[in-house]
Amino acid sequence: MFQAKAFAPFEKLAAALVPHSSEGDDGSHDVAHVLRVFKNAMRIQAVEGGDARILAAAVLLHDCVAVEKNSPMRSKASALAAAKASAVLAKLGWASDDITAVAHAIVAHSFSANVTPETLEARILQDADRLDAIGMVGAGRCFYIGGRMSSALYDPFDPAGSNRELDDRCYVIDHFQTKLFKLADGFQTKAGRALAATRDQRLRDFLAAFMDEI
């Protein structure tokens, strides 16, 4: 059951926007993901500053268009989400400058879009979303997405990819090397980088334990 109070102090905004926040059945980009990113964003904003209302709206709508990870449209997902978010906020009577700010943060949050975040709110959203891709939650989401894509857990004869090209569409743990271990170096805010360092180490410890077991 949706509980707006989980998004305090933006309960009213969440009640209006959460019905638009996700679509489809992707459990790695559902309301639970939105709430985790919201908590990350508010934690960073408390240190870094920025317009919390703009940030909250951007968080709530950052994944409002669903595009599977293996879709050729994946790099367009954040732009599609920004367009939908703009329409939703316009219907709620938001000012055009505020809508533009939210839309930019949404477009720039995506790793695959490769758009530079130009505002503090955009930098915070990018950091908050990427925090959910590393650490233990990130590991769980990685395996979940691999299952959706029918990927194997690992290459049984060369799990570390020492003598082959890494392929994260075929093998889940290849994604740690091809993307997840690269994320911590790209965080935009000081507060985000501090949180990322802890989660990155957890992710590396997880993979080391996984490799030991196999």
Side-chain angles (χ1 to χ4, degrees):
M1 179 184 295
F2 169 65
Q3 296 184 19
K5 64 182 180 181
F7 294 90
F10 295 100
E11 296 94 334
K12 290 184 179 179
L13 186 62
L17 297 185
V18 165
H20 305 281
S21 67
S22 62
E23 56 185 29
D25 62 351
D26 183 354
S28 67
H29 294 90
D30 56 4
V31 175
H33 166 68
V34 173
L35 180 56
R36 291 192 303 270
V37 175
F38 176 81
K39 290 178 178 179
N40 292 338
M42 292 299 107
R43 187 174 180 181
I44 296 171
Q45 190 273 337
V47 176
E48 302 285 343
D51 189 319
R53 176 174 171 265
I54 296 293
L55 179 61
V59 169
L60 288 163
L61 296 173
H62 78 281
D63 279 335
C64 64
V65 173
V67 180
E68 290 286 353
K69 289 288 188 181
N70 58 354
S71 168
M73 290 293 292
R74 183 61 194 171
S75 64
K76 306 295 184 184
S78 64
L80 294 171
K84 178 180 175 180
S86 297
V88 169
L89 294 176
K91 288 183 179 179
L92 293 175
W94 276 51
S96 60
D97 286 351
D98 290 346
I99 292 174
T100 298
V102 171
H104 170 67
I106 291 173
V107 169
H109 92 274
S110 170
F111 182 87
S112 56
N114 196 29
V115 173
T116 301
E118 302 290 348
T119 64
L120 178 55
E121 293 78 22
R123 291 192 286 273
I124 293 174
L125 175 57
Q126 187 181 101
D127 283 2
D129 186 62
R130 292 185 183 185
L131 280 172
D132 207 49
I134 57 178
M136 300 311 296
V137 171
R141 292 177 73 213
C142 183
F143 282 96
Y144 173 89
I145 293 168
R148 287 179 68 87
M149 295 171 58
S150 300
S151 304
L153 292 180
Y154 59 91
D155 180 338
F157 304 108
D158 187 4
S162 301
N163 297 294
R164 63 175 175 82
E165 293 234 353
L166 295 172
D167 186 349
D168 58 3
R169 294 197 177 191
C170 287
Y171 307 114
V172 174
I173 66 166
D174 282 15
H175 194 61
F176 285 64
Q177 299 283 359
T178 60
K179 179 180 177 182
L180 301 186
F181 287 161
K182 299 176 181 178
L183 293 179
D185 290 336
F187 273 67
Q188 301 286 327
T189 67
K190 183 177 180 180
R193 285 192 293 274
L195 294 169
T198 299
R199 295 199 187 190
D200 179 70
Q201 188 58 55
R202 289 174 184 167
L203 195 63
R204 293 174 186 275
D205 291 345
F206 173 88
L207 183 60
F210 185 93
M211 296 295 285
D212 178 70
E213 291 189 11
I214 63 174

